Amino acid sequence: MKKIIYLVAFVCIHMTAQNKFITKTGVINFEASVPAFEEVAAKNNSVTAIINTENGEFAALALVKGFRFKNALMEEHFNENYAESDQFPKATFKGKIDDFDLKKDTSTYNIEGSLTFHGKTKALKDLAITINIKENTIIMSGKFIAKASDFDIDIPKIVRNKIAEDVMVSFEFELNKK
């Protein structure tokens, strides 16, 4: 009887794992540049993301200190003065892809969820994403605009004209079958 229970448990766990795709090398870029001033842009190449193909649930986690800038001083200011990454080390997104279908090779979907950054959570609705499916890989990409003020990030007056309030965020995740 014990062997049957273990076998059933193993099969259930194995079946559940087949519905998940994961990456630890996802990419998030953001840009808050203003024309005629120094570029304010960063990239994080080590974002963890997971999708459950059975129900379209999606989650991503980025360590804030993982964002890299061209200018080391700008990176330091970002971590210390804006993102306060020692106090708020993670950025997360949790959501659900509307009408997700693993059988479509390439499709545009909408995703809804909540983005948490700098200790504040903001709902995102009708965010357009593109998904390409190839064998055991799902490539998901998209972009959206986030306002610094929505996350209680105060841009000091002295640099307010050099940093955009609207931050363009783009992402790409290449998720592999778990």
Side-chain angles (χ1 to χ4, degrees):
M1 184 66 175
K2 276 186 177 180
K3 288 183 181 181
I4 293 173
I5 292 171
Y6 287 127
L7 180 61
V8 170
F10 175 77
V11 170
C12 289
I13 290 169
H14 186 67
M15 287 174 59
T16 303
Q18 289 180 346
N19 297 325
K20 295 194 172 52
F21 286 66
I22 191 167
T23 185
K24 292 182 181 181
T25 58
V27 177
I28 296 176
N29 296 291
F30 75 79
E31 184 166 359
S33 301
V34 174
F37 289 101
E38 186 175 9
E39 178 184 59
V40 179
K43 183 176 193 174
N44 189 330
N45 290 318
S46 55
V47 181
T48 300
I50 188 167
I51 185 171
N52 182 334
T53 58
E54 194 170 274
N55 58 17
E57 290 178 348
F58 174 80
L61 169 85
L63 296 177
V64 177
K65 285 189 177 181
F67 284 99
R68 299 289 173 243
F69 292 75
K70 289 180 182 177
N71 180 324
L73 184 59
M74 193 178 291
E75 187 172 316
E76 182 180 329
H77 285 220
F78 169 77
N79 282 301
E80 291 178 7
N81 304 327
Y82 298 100
E84 299 176 282
S85 56
D86 285 338
Q87 187 176 355
F88 307 106
K90 299 174 187 173
T92 61
F93 178 84
K94 294 177 186 172
K96 187 168 182 176
I97 302 167
D98 295 336
D99 302 318
F100 180 74
D101 185 354
L102 190 59
K103 295 177 184 109
K104 296 180 182 176
D105 289 343
T106 301
S107 292
T108 301
Y109 294 94
N110 285 329
I111 189 169
E112 289 188 12
S114 55
L115 174 64
T116 301
F117 182 78
H118 195 243
K120 300 296 173 193
T121 301
K122 172 82 174 160
L124 297 178
K125 296 184 181 210
D126 298 323
L127 175 65
I129 59 170
T130 301
I131 292 183
N132 295 311
I133 299 171
K134 296 179 181 172
E135 293 180 27
N136 291 325
T137 303
I138 295 174
I139 300 169
M140 177 177 162
S141 61
K143 60 185 173 180
F144 62 94
I145 294 176
K147 292 190 173 293
S149 59
D150 286 344
F151 298 96
D152 286 350
I153 296 173
D154 186 35
I155 301 171
K157 265 187 177 176
I158 196 164
V159 293
R160 198 167 285 154
N161 64 338
K162 297 178 182 180
I163 301 173
E165 162 68 14
D166 292 340
V167 180
M168 175 56 72
V169 180
S170 63
F171 55 88
E172 183 167 323
F173 304 111
E174 187 172 313
L175 303 115
N176 296 302
K177 198 169 194 173
K178 186 175 179 185

